[in-house]
Structures are given as C-alpha cells and as structure tokens.
Amino acid sequence: MSAQENLLFTSNLISPEVQATLPKGYTIRPLASDDYERGFLDVLSVLTVIGNITKAQFLERFFYLKAHNHEYFTLVIVSPQNRIVGAGTIFVERKFIRNTGLVGHIEDIAVDKNQQGKKLGLRVIQALKYIGAKTGCYKVILDCSEKNVPFYEKCGFQRKEVEMAWYC
Ligand code: ACO
C-alpha cells in the first residue's frame, strides 16, 4: 500500500499554515491505517471509555470511514517519537436547507495528557476548520462541556444555543 492509500483522506486538505506552526519535529496528517500501533486509541482515552478495540475492529472502522472520505475527516498530530499525540474529526453533513448547504461537525478532540498546553489542541481545531472551509461548509459547529468553553473561544468559536441528548 502506498503512503497516500494508507491515509484516510487526501493530504491536500491538511492546512500548510497549521503544519508550519507546529513545534519542531511534529507533523499533522490524515489518520493512517497503521495508527493503531502509534497509540491513536490511547489518545482518544482522554475523552471517554474506549473499550478493548482490536486491530481488526480498528481497521473495519478505518476502511468504512475511508469509503466515505468525502464526509469523514479524522486527522492526527504525530510527535517526533512517531506517536499520536493529538486527534480530531470533522464530519461534513449534507443538508436540504440553506440551498443544499453543508455543515461541519467537529467531534472527538483529544490531546495526550502529557502534551496538553502546547497549542496542539488549537492546531487540531485550526486544521479541522480549514477542512470545513475547503469542503464548502457554511458553518462548523461542536458540542462541549462548560469547562472547555474558554478553549473553544480561543479557537474562534462562540456560544450558540443548547445541546440536547437522548441515550438509547
Ligand atoms: N480552560 C481555559 N483555557 C484553556 C483550556 C481550559 N480548559 N484548555 C485550553 N485552554 C487555552 C490555553 O491556555 C491556550 O490559551 P492561550 O492561547 O492564551 O495560551 C488555548 O486555550 C489553546 O490551548 P492548547 O494548548 O491548544 O490546548 P490543549 O493542547 O491542551 O488542548 C484540549 C485542549 C483538546 C481540550 C485538551 O485539554 C484535551 O484533550 N482535553 C481532554 C479531552 C477533551 O476535553 N476534549 C474536548 C472534548 S469536546 C469535543 O471533542 C468537540
């Protein structure tokens, strides 16, 4: 498999400006099919319970997302030690309203506990906003806890309306 085939989506959607502002030795790129071994799921564990996901389960989900990679964009930040230290996703929803407009939904933003406070979270969000703009979204939205509001305000978001949830 070539390096590009191994990636969830085209690297052309990765902001060159965001790459240029990362600390030395860090890279930002689409999720890769071998990121299971680089600790992708460990990084997500700062968010919530992950479960015992096998490599086969990871790959099944990865290739589903890759088959829909005009809608799902998961990107990662890789450390100089070749470990995943940051991750985030934008899901591009196709609507009827707003003249068949597109809305970007930011999900599952995570930075490794030992790497927080280095602006990696900010870079993940900037890179996801870039994808939202490039794919033609008219807005990008997200849900977060009260405690994360100041972080998202620093990323250029403003408080709007209320999140509701129903658990099946
Ligand atoms: N309260 C106030 N300010 C904050 C907070 C906070 N909780 N977190 C970050 N900031 C500020 C930083 O001080 C920095 O400000 P500055 O530019 O003035 O220096 C700015 O926001 C950018 O911070 P980063 O260094 O980029 O933040 P970090 O890399 O630590 O990532 C994140 C932030 C993603 C929230 C990280 O702490 C994390 O992974 N937390 C646990 C998981 C989580 O809560 N994820 C978000 C869930 S919501 C969702 O996924 C849509």
Side-chain angles (χ1 to χ4, degrees):
M1 209 186 285
S2 74
Q4 188 64 54
E5 283 170 356
N6 182 38
L7 297 176
L8 189 61
F9 60 91
T10 170
S11 299
N12 294 339
L13 283 172
I14 296 293
S15 161
E17 288 80 16
V18 171
Q19 176 60 60
T21 49
L22 285 176
K24 194 167 181 292
Y26 287 69
T27 52
I28 186 162
R29 60 159 170 75
L31 182 69
S33 58
D34 50 1
D35 283 340
Y36 183 88
E37 288 82 5
R38 294 192 187 88
F40 171 62
L41 298 174
D42 297 336
V43 170
L44 291 188
S45 71
V46 300
L47 276 166
T48 187
V49 176
I50 305 300
N52 295 319
I53 299 176
T54 62
K55 173 84 192 241
Q57 280 176 293
F58 169 81
L59 287 177
E60 188 187 348
R61 180 52 43 90
F62 178 88
F63 285 111
Y64 175 89
L65 297 180
K66 191 168 164 66
H68 300 83
N69 69 2
H70 54 295
E71 287 177 338
Y72 292 104
F73 304 87
T74 297
L75 53 76
V76 292
I77 294 182
V78 188
S79 74
Q81 292 74 34
N82 201 24
R83 299 293 296 170
I84 307 299
V85 292
T89 295
I90 183 166
F91 162 63
V92 176
E93 178 200 4
R94 276 142 176 92
K95 288 192 169 289
F96 281 109
I97 62 168
R98 295 265 184 166
N99 202 17
T100 66
L102 307 186
V103 173
H105 298 263
I106 284 185
E107 291 285 341
D108 298 348
I109 305 305
V111 172
D112 180 275
K113 269 212 155 42
N114 299 318
Q115 303 267 344
Q116 290 177 6
K118 295 182 179 178
K119 302 237 191 295
L120 300 182
L122 173 67
R123 301 305 171 216
V124 167
I125 298 295
Q126 288 172 333
L128 294 174
K129 285 165 71 179
Y130 179 88
I131 294 172
K134 277 268 177 200
T135 53
C137 294
Y138 73 87
K139 70 173 177 184
V140 173
I141 57 178
L142 60 87
D143 293 326
C144 72
S145 64
E146 197 61 40
K147 145 173 116 45
N148 282 329
V149 167
F151 166 69
Y152 287 111
E153 285 176 341
K154 293 222 158 139
C155 294
F157 286 77
Q158 46 185 297
R159 196 187 284 266
K160 195 98 198 295
E161 298 172 357
V162 173
E163 178 201 339
M164 307 280 283
W166 178 74
Y167 289 87
C168 307

